[in-house]
Amino acid sequence: MQKLGELKLPPFFNYPPYFTLQPVRETREKQIQLWKELILDYCRTQKIFVVGLEEDFPLFSNPAIERSLNHEARVAFLSAIVSDGRAEWMDKGHRRCLILWHRIQDWADIILRFVKENGLEDSVMTVEEMRSGIESRGTDVHGMDRTVLMRALKLLENKGKLAIFKGTSTDDEGVKFSV
Amino acid sequence: MAGNWLLPAETTTSGRPVLRPGEVESSLQPSVDLVNEENPNLPSFKSGLLILTTYRILWLPNPDSTPSPSTSAAVAVPLGAVTHIFQSKKSIKGMFASPRVRFQVSVTTEGRVQERGSKSMVITLVFRGKSDPDSFVVKFWEAYRGRAWEGSVSASAEGVEGPAFLGDGGGSSSSDTGLALKMPVVGVSGILRKEQEMWESTDKSLQDAFQDLNALMNKAKDMVMLAEKMRQKLLSGSNSQVNATNDEEMGSKEEMQDWLLSVGIVSPVTKESAGALYHQQLSRQLADFVKTPLERAGGIMNLIDIYCLFNRARGTELISPDDLLRACSLWEKFNVPVMLKKFESGVMVIQNKSHSDEEVFSRIRSLVQKPDALQIGVSATDAARTLGIAPAMAKEHLLAAESKGMGFLCRDVSPDGFRFYINIFQDIDPNDEYLVKEYGVYDSWIRAAIASRSQSASTDDFKFCELTIVVSLPNRFLEYVGKKG
């Protein structure tokens, strides 16, 4: 079976019509559904948070059958994910798309679990530490997109689980957990 | 019992009269009653279509009142039985009543209309529609004086039979009719004289025919007979005299035969003869005409192709594309076995009513499930080849198959072109993308896709083998030649 990074590709990835946006409504709905799942699965396994429509994205082309998605199809599939609440457009021109393979609420839970598992309940960390520090290595928090991380932290702050404060250096923020 | 006093007339399924060989329609009048005023007990024929031909007066029941014109209802009066046409009297009373035309026919003692009958009776035609009885009378006189039927009687006695108002001009006649040559043919000079006479009569016919179009119309019957005769001559040319047929002519012979075979419709419906009924009658004639070419083309044809064929068969009195379209759109109103179909793209075709979309779809369905098509799909050209139709039309069918509900086709647009595949989307489980239901189209597609990949590897090997053989052969050949030397 074909693989793309860690992801095992489904057999229909070699089906040429899969790469042409189908005009018939019922067929198109099924096709969009399959693409949504595949894009989210791929982003999850590859830890990809941002998909640029004008950049090369390995999933959007299949060299084995010499097919790739055109711009219209890419927009259609990503828009479908956006309307499901699993992604957001990052600009008005719909050129970059933020993929939330975990919802913000799920990310918040993952952060809480990470805090508890590492005994960080009352400690202080910088945001950058969380993303690339030794503690987070091997967890989902490691390598998280900064935008996504900040939004998850804001959610937790509103719940009173932590406090975000401006650090001494201007380019980083600190987090005080109080779980 | 009904109409027993007149002769029955055959009609086609689309309600056109079946004409005899050489019979030409000269006038059509709607809403005409055919009655016997002398004997009101005899059944009269109310408000039907009256057709005057060079042989007969035909009365057909009104197609609107009877949804399917039964063939038995049409009646005919042979012009041969007509003994007199009365001058219509002009009177004050006549101004308000429907115009009438009376004529006398000879009948048998039982009262049946027949040529050379012992008794006679008067038949009255009552024109109820907005028709022109005066011009009808003129044409009636013309046809009556023309005595065209007399030739036909002798011809049919010699074996020319069957309806020949369409198609191959002259029916199945294989005997030499018409231009019989009475001069004894003896020796080479006899043959030469025969050729010479043929030449002269042919030349004269052609000269007369092309003087003007009217003359050509009048000569239509002769021309068709001539064409048939020339065809017969060409057919028998190989085993007859050699003086006129040298090798050069052999090639053009077949071409000539094709031309002669397509000298077609002896009695084309024209605006002049049919008047207001033009499109209606044209529509019926067209319905009869398209049957044969449609069968040959697999039940469906482009409107443009029909236009060419139909005008080719008419030869003269060509119709405009507009008239053709109007004639085709009238089919909806008649009970004819063909229909006009317009695809979404605007392409118009004529198809048999029996030619259903379902049948085409099932053929496409089996086409796209062949191993090759599973791997690389089908293009409109592939489908056209399989279905035996034009690529443009095949594409219409493919698009229709794609858009029908959750269609069984999917498109693939790539730099390689526009292709269609069997739709496997419907077979994929949205909850488990890796699950493959056994014996579904998804399953068979995967099998074909895997097979293609292993096959392409083996064909590469095979090509390599071929290449070595090709390379090694000349070497061996050279060795061999070298040893010889």
Side-chain angles (χ1 to χ4, degrees), chain A residues 8 15 22 30 37 67, chain B residues 412 422 425 428 433-434:
Chain A
K8 268 205 297 183
Y15 179 57
Q22 296 299 318
K30 190 69 179 275
E37 307 280 336
R67 294 288 184 277
Chain B
D412 164 38
I422 186 87
F425 286 115
I428 299 172
E433 298 174 357
Y434 303 92

Side-chain angles (χ1 to χ4, degrees), chain B residues 236-274:
Chain B
S236 61
S238 52
N239 52 24
S240 70
Q241 307 92 344
V242 241
N243 59 351
T245 56
N246 54 38
D247 289 346
E248 280 172 30
E249 285 176 21
M250 291 300 279
S252 62
K253 260 189 173 184
E254 281 180 23
E255 206 180 342
M256 187 69 183
Q257 271 194 32
D258 284 347
W259 291 345
L260 295 176
L261 272 174
S262 56
V263 174
I265 299 171
V266 181
S267 175
V269 172
T270 63
K271 271 187 176 144
E272 206 178 309
S273 71

Side-chain angles (χ1 to χ4, degrees), chain B residues 17 25-34 45 47-53 56-62 75-77 101 103 123-127 136 140 273-274 277 281:
Chain B
E25 294 169 279
S26 46
S27 180
L28 284 89
Q29 303 289 333
S31 317
V32 175
D33 295 354
L34 197 154
F45 301 91
S47 193
L49 174 66
L50 190 81
I51 301 174
L52 173 73
T53 75
R56 293 176 293 175
I57 285 177
L58 296 157
W59 183 93
L60 276 68
N62 188 356
V75 292
V77 178
V101 173
F103 60 95
I123 294 176
T124 309
L125 302 172
V126 186
F127 293 85
F136 174 76
F140 194 8
S273 71
L277 294 168
Q281 286 299 312

Side-chain angles (χ1 to χ4, degrees), chain B residues 22-257:
Chain B
E23 187 173 7
V24 178
E25 294 169 279
S26 46
S27 180
L28 284 89
Q29 303 289 333
S31 317
V32 175
D33 295 354
L34 197 154
V35 292
N36 188 332
E37 285 178 324
E38 291 171 354
N39 187 354
N41 294 334
L42 289 174
S44 51
F45 301 91
K46 294 283 183 193
S47 193
L49 174 66
L50 190 81
I51 301 174
L52 173 73
T53 75
T54 48
Y55 292 9
R56 293 176 293 175
I57 285 177
L58 296 157
W59 183 93
L60 276 68
N62 188 356
D64 299 332
S65 59
T66 47
S68 58
S70 55
T71 47
S72 59
V75 292
V77 178
L79 288 186
V82 175
T83 48
H84 185 65
I85 302 168
F86 295 103
Q87 291 294 336
S88 56
K89 288 163 264 174
K90 294 247 189 285
S91 67
I92 302 288
K93 193 186 158 205
M95 282 177 73
F96 299 104
S98 299
R100 279 148 207 265
V101 173
R102 294 187 178 82
F103 60 95
Q104 193 174 46
V105 292
S106 61
V107 290
T108 60
T109 43
E110 294 91 53
R112 281 180 64 96
V113 174
Q114 197 185 45
E115 286 181 46
R116 291 185 285 278
S118 51
K119 292 164 100 184
S120 70
M121 104 183 142
V122 175
I123 294 176
T124 309
L125 302 172
V126 186
F127 293 85
R128 301 209 176 274
K130 287 176 190 165
S131 50
D132 181 8
D134 292 340
S135 74
F136 174 76
V137 172
V138 172
K139 285 192 173 138
F140 194 8
W141 272 109
E142 255 174 39
Y144 180 54
R145 290 203 188 104
R147 310 197 82 78
W149 63 89
E150 286 177 349
S152 83
V153 175
S154 63
S156 63
E158 284 176 59
V160 183
E161 272 172 6
F165 69 106
L166 289 177
D168 57 20
S172 55
S173 159
S174 56
S175 60
D176 273 11
T177 56
L179 291 164
L181 293 158
K182 280 152 194 133
M183 201 91 61
V185 180
V186 184
V188 177
S189 66
I191 294 162
L192 283 174
R193 195 175 61 226
K194 189 178 167 185
E195 283 296 324
Q196 182 67 29
E197 271 172 17
M198 265 307 259
W199 222 171
E200 277 168 10
S201 71
T202 308
D203 201 40
K204 196 166 174 297
S205 285
L206 284 169
Q207 292 262 340
D208 287 353
F210 287 107
Q211 265 177 1
D212 61 51
L213 279 176
N214 274 335
L216 183 58
M217 282 310 293
N218 293 337
K219 285 274 175 187
K221 185 188 151 198
D222 294 346
M223 292 313 291
V224 173
M225 272 174 64
L226 179 65
E228 175 64 13
K229 213 174 141 45
M230 283 167 84
R231 196 175 72 85
Q232 292 296 340
K233 198 172 145 47
L234 284 170
L235 279 174
S236 61
S238 52
N239 52 24
S240 70
Q241 307 92 344
V242 241
N243 59 351
T245 56
N246 54 38
D247 289 346
E248 280 172 30
E249 285 176 21
M250 291 300 279
S252 62
K253 260 189 173 184
E254 281 180 23
E255 206 180 342
M256 187 69 183
Q257 271 194 32

Side-chain angles (χ1 to χ4, degrees), chain A residues 1-2 7-27 30-31 33-35 37-38 41 65-67, chain B residues 375 402-407 409-416 419 421-430 433-434 436 442 445-446 449 453:
Chain A
M1 197 165 284
Q2 257 174 301
L7 181 70
K8 268 205 297 183
L9 289 168
F12 57 77
F13 197 68
N14 285 326
Y15 179 57
Y18 188 58
F19 286 85
T20 299
L21 192 59
Q22 296 299 318
V24 179
R25 195 169 53 84
E26 286 89 343
T27 312
K30 190 69 179 275
Q31 185 191 19
Q33 194 185 3
L34 294 175
W35 266 107
E37 307 280 336
L38 192 66
D41 281 351
I65 56 165
E66 294 173 347
R67 294 288 184 277
Chain B
Q375 288 159 24
E402 182 201 32
S403 60
K404 217 176 115 241
M406 180 127 180
L409 291 186
C410 280
R411 64 174 62 184
D412 164 38
V413 184
S414 74
D416 299 349
R419 305 185 76 81
Y421 285 75
I422 186 87
N423 188 346
I424 64 165
F425 286 115
Q426 55 198 345
D427 236 32
I428 299 172
D429 188 345
E433 298 174 357
Y434 303 92
V436 179
Y442 189 24
W445 174 78
I446 290 172
R453 222 162 294 146

